[in-house]
Amino acid sequence: AWMCSPTVPDKNLTVIARADDTTFGILHSHFHELWSLRLGTSLEDRPRYTPTTCFETFPFPEHLTPRDTAQTAPTGPLAERIGSAARRLDELRENWLNPAEWVDWVITPEEEKAGFPKRPVAKPGHEADLKKRTLTNLYNARPAWLALAHQELDHAVAAAYGWSDYTPAMPDEEILRRLLALNLQRSAAVG
């Protein structure tokens, strides 16, 4: 999820300091999810994202790696397609998490002066409903609109990899095989 700059994350939150929708989209793709689940660690019985194994080793599409785009936001039709799909996914999720009919966005003068963003506050009568609106609950329910938004994002990221044969039915092992091959190819080029 996007965070505002005055946010101070706790020690268990992984923060990737980027401001572009393209990187946000790649990190939300099924490809990065598979890579992270395979290479991450676990805490008890839950997967745990570890930056050294999940982020630093992930083979981003060519010319869209964090190193390639550190100074300027990614550009070009593939980057824009990923960014557009990522913005749409984020917009849909945000509308579900904080529906306008249930939420008022507020900020105190002190918060505004300190540079904090507006925050959602439940309208009277919607407090209990809003507490149920979490990303975990959303992804556990996985409504069709969410699945479609992720499919569009995945198609955009696959295009950036040059995978014209990608479909949502592509086996996870094939995706991981391709990502590993790209990772090994890049490692050999550096070494």
Side-chain angles (χ1 to χ4, degrees):
W2 284 113
M3 304 300 290
C4 296
S5 59
T7 302
V8 179
D10 88 344
K11 63 181 176 43
N12 293 325
L13 183 65
T14 300
V15 175
I16 299 168
R18 295 300 301 249
D20 64 274
D21 293 317
T22 303
T23 302
F24 183 82
I26 294 168
L27 294 175
H28 277 77
S29 71
H30 183 60
F31 314 121
H32 186 68
E33 177 186 6
L34 287 175
W35 186 265
S36 299
L37 288 171
R38 185 61 59 94
L39 294 175
T41 59
S42 63
L43 179 62
E44 298 166 351
D45 63 343
R46 298 177 308 269
R48 186 171 183 193
Y49 190 93
T50 49
T52 53
T53 59
C54 299
F55 181 78
E56 292 176 17
T57 65
F58 181 69
F60 282 75
E62 190 172 9
H63 305 298
L64 297 177
T65 70
R67 179 173 287 136
D68 295 330
T69 60
Q71 302 302 319
T72 59
T75 59
L78 294 172
E80 182 48 41
R81 183 175 170 197
I82 294 168
S84 178
R87 282 188 298 278
R88 180 70 178 141
L89 172 64
D90 188 54
E91 175 187 301
L92 290 168
R93 291 188 330 186
E94 187 59 38
N95 289 341
W96 186 86
L97 289 168
N98 297 301
E101 62 273 13
W102 292 2
V103 170
D104 284 320
W105 289 86
V106 300
I107 189 168
T108 66
E110 295 82 11
E111 291 168 336
E112 189 170 22
K113 184 177 179 183
F116 289 102
K118 289 184 177 183
R119 56 190 163 78
V121 174
K123 291 180 180 180
H126 293 287
E127 296 85 357
D129 296 325
L130 199 58
K131 283 185 180 183
K132 297 176 189 172
R133 295 286 176 120
T134 66
L135 282 175
T136 299
N137 288 342
L138 174 60
Y139 277 85
N140 284 342
R142 194 102 174 161
W145 59 263
L146 180 63
L148 289 172
H150 271 282
Q151 281 182 13
E152 180 59 33
L153 177 60
D154 292 342
H155 279 289
V157 175
Y161 279 116
W163 298 351
S164 58
D165 61 339
Y166 172 76
T167 70
M170 181 178 278
D172 291 350
E173 290 305 316
E174 174 60 16
I175 293 168
L176 286 167
R177 185 194 66 73
R178 291 178 185 199
L179 291 172
L180 178 59
L182 184 55
N183 172 283
L184 292 172
Q185 175 189 2
R186 289 183 182 165
S187 294
V190 171

